[in-house]
Amino acid sequence: MRNTVKYYDDVDSYKTIMFLYKAALKEVGTKLDILNDEFQHVHRYNPIEHIKTRIKTPESIVKKLRRDGHESTIDNMVQYVNDIAGVRLICSFTSDIYRLAEMIGNQSDLKVLSIKDYIKHPKESGYKSYHMLVSVPIFLSDSVVDTKVEIQIRTIAMDFWASLEHKIYYKFEGNAPGYISRELRECAEMVSALDEKMLSLNEAILNLEAPAVTGIIKIPDAVQEKGQEVRRAYVGT
Ligand code: 0O2
């Protein structure tokens, strides 16, 4: 964070930090809404299907700090837990993911701190998603505080997989039976195949030539003549 926030006691400082993360989520959420609206305005297309935001629970923050061998302090939380404020962008196609990542990278007031491309390099579990860690300046009455937000970008299919896998991971506390992990990896491959198929299908639809479409809706002469006949019978002209 750019400025040091004055800490009074642990509860006060926790509340202050959480206030900053919530403000950062609002900033980034609004920014993404505007980018999506602009894209719709210019290209008649929404790259973002929907946006989810969440603040990490205190339990989950403490768990992560413990996992990485850090004491549960406010300083450690700010320094080591990068996804306290999280935004998830769900898109239809993998091409949308990279388009959005580029648009986010081009925002002059956001600083991209790191990128993890789990689409090109999936996790062993089969997890696929594009993670960007950014920092956004939060303008307070007497200071500016750079605050971290993790943006996860994935397709609807990847999100479907990740939600189920996340539930299973927590249910078994990371020790799911071997056959479940194997089947989840198989599902991850199916998800990738589905995403590829949907992307190529969408490209094929976009490349459909206008004459073919015109051909479909052109009314054949015989039908037009029949129409005239019916009209004459009713209207008498
Ligand atoms: P929750 O409940 O979503 O908050 P880092 O210290 O950031 O470098 P970390 O935390 O492992 O290391 O970062 P990473 O890999 O970017 O993962 C952070 C988040 O990505 C996770 O947060 C999940 O939301 C998601 N994620 C990462 N790997 C997996 C996976 O294998 N399966 C699923 N379903 N999600 C994954 P949390 O804290 O685990 O959970």
Side-chain angles (χ1 to χ4, degrees), residues 168 172 175-183:
I168 292 170
F172 294 99
N175 294 309
Y179 76 94
I180 289 191
S181 303
R182 263 196 310 281
E183 287 195 11

Side-chain angles (χ1 to χ4, degrees), residues 200-214 216:
S200 59
L201 203 55
N202 187 51
E203 278 164 3
I205 292 167
L206 293 176
N207 288 334
L208 268 186
E209 287 183 12
V213 175
T214 314
I216 292 167

